[in-house]
Amino acid sequence: AQSVAQPEDQVNVAEGNPLTVKCTYSVSGNPYLFWYVQYPNRGLQFLLKYITGDNLVKGSYGFEAEFNKSQTSFHLKKPSALVSDSALYFCAVRDISRDDKIIFGKGTRLHILP
Amino acid sequence: KAGVTQTPRYLIKTRGQQVTLSCSPISGHRSVSWYQQTPGQGLQFLFEYFSETQRNKGNFPGRFSGRQFSNSRSEMNVSTLELGDSALYLCASSSAPGALNEKLFFGSGTQLSVL
């Protein structure tokens, strides 16, 4: 069965510093990997997606994610954090080989400190 | 283009009652999925529908059911409500499951409180 784990409930980063939000996954086949963000009092929004090809995926708001097949990870990164990046971030996976559902991690709350 | 619309926005029910939640996807989207969001468990998958057919189902009891209509609108029903069913229920739509350009668009959710 497929699964996704976000090992950190909360991440604190000073404004201007690089940030990383971690995600690991487990699938039997080939994964589609996603990051979504939930800003306070706003709905979940798509950030980026990995299908195949280049391991570094660029998304909205300056975010990027690195796919690492050997470590089964898909960490979200940004070179310089903004206070406005403070939000709840969800990693998600769909096992495309098994035509399975999209499942989400438990989320990581990112706090950017001014 | 209108986004995903979920109604009602808030619901308060008592234990043992049943509830029906509605979701209207983005025009042209034929795939609808439902999730339960709670602070401790994050987003848990409930159902996925495509062209009126349930493609996948999560690990929830049979009290949770859903359906999709020919216009792609979807409803979710929870019978015999329990306190633990209190949560934010989110609906998401996409053009087609597993498509290369697949991207979920979420509604604002229905906040269900069971007393």
Side-chain angles (χ1 to χ4, degrees):
Chain A
Q2 59 184 5
S3 65
V4 59
Q6 294 181 241
E8 302 153 319
D9 291 336
Q10 183 168 310
V11 171
N12 297 321
V13 177
E15 186 177 24
N17 283 3
L19 69 87
T20 299
V21 183
K22 296 179 181 177
C23 171
T24 58
Y25 67 91
S26 174
V27 298
S28 303
N30 296 319
Y32 281 3
L33 293 156
F34 308 82
W35 277 101
Y36 284 81
V37 59
Q38 189 173 41
Y39 295 104
N41 301 316
R42 290 166 61 181
L44 272 160
Q45 300 175 31
F46 172 85
L47 267 183
L48 51 80
K49 172 184 182 180
Y50 171 82
I51 303 172
T52 186
D54 195 350
N55 290 343
L56 188 63
V57 180
K58 294 191 183 297
S60 307
Y61 312 119
F63 283 93
E64 58 190 25
E66 186 170 13
F67 172 67
N68 187 315
K69 188 174 183 178
S70 62
Q71 296 186 4
T72 61
S73 66
F74 189 56
H75 300 332
L76 182 70
K77 301 182 179 184
K78 187 173 182 180
S80 179
L82 300 172
V83 172
S84 58
D85 293 329
S86 298
L88 185 57
Y89 290 80
F90 291 94
C91 181
V93 64
R94 183 195 285 279
D95 186 341
I96 200 66
S97 304
R98 295 166 56 87
D99 198 24
D100 215 329
K101 54 205 177 268
I102 294 180
I103 62 166
F104 285 76
K106 292 187 178 183
T108 298
R109 188 161 296 280
L110 178 63
H111 286 286
I112 307 302
L113 309 170
Chain B
K1 204 173 192 182
V4 178
T5 304
Q6 290 189 247
T7 56
R9 185 70 182 89
Y10 300 95
L11 264 179
I12 299 176
K13 293 286 187 179
T14 56
R15 281 180 298 173
Q17 287 187 309
Q18 76 165 21
V19 66
T20 299
L21 313 182
S22 179
C23 172
S24 294
I26 289 173
S27 178
H29 283 187
R30 294 193 294 157
S31 178
V32 172
S33 50
W34 289 88
Y35 294 86
Q36 182 194 66
Q37 184 177 12
T38 55
Q41 297 299 316
L43 282 164
Q44 291 189 281
F45 173 81
L46 281 156
F47 322 98
E48 181 183 50
Y49 291 91
F50 179 68
S51 295
E52 301 179 70
T53 300
Q54 187 180 91
R55 298 183 71 248
N56 285 295
K57 189 178 190 303
N59 296 324
F60 279 81
R63 301 185 295 107
F64 291 80
S65 63
R67 57 179 176 170
Q68 186 180 32
F69 302 96
S70 58
N71 62 357
S72 295
R73 191 176 70 84
S74 177
E75 286 182 349
M76 192 191 98
N77 186 276
V78 187
S79 63
T80 319
L81 283 166
E82 300 178 358
L83 295 178
D85 297 333
S86 295
L88 179 66
Y89 290 87
L90 292 168
C91 166
S93 77
S94 67
S95 53
L100 286 176
N101 64 345
E102 179 181 29
K103 186 165 79 171
L104 295 179
F105 292 82
F106 283 86
S108 298
T110 294
Q111 183 68 53
L112 173 64
S113 298
V114 182
L115 306 179

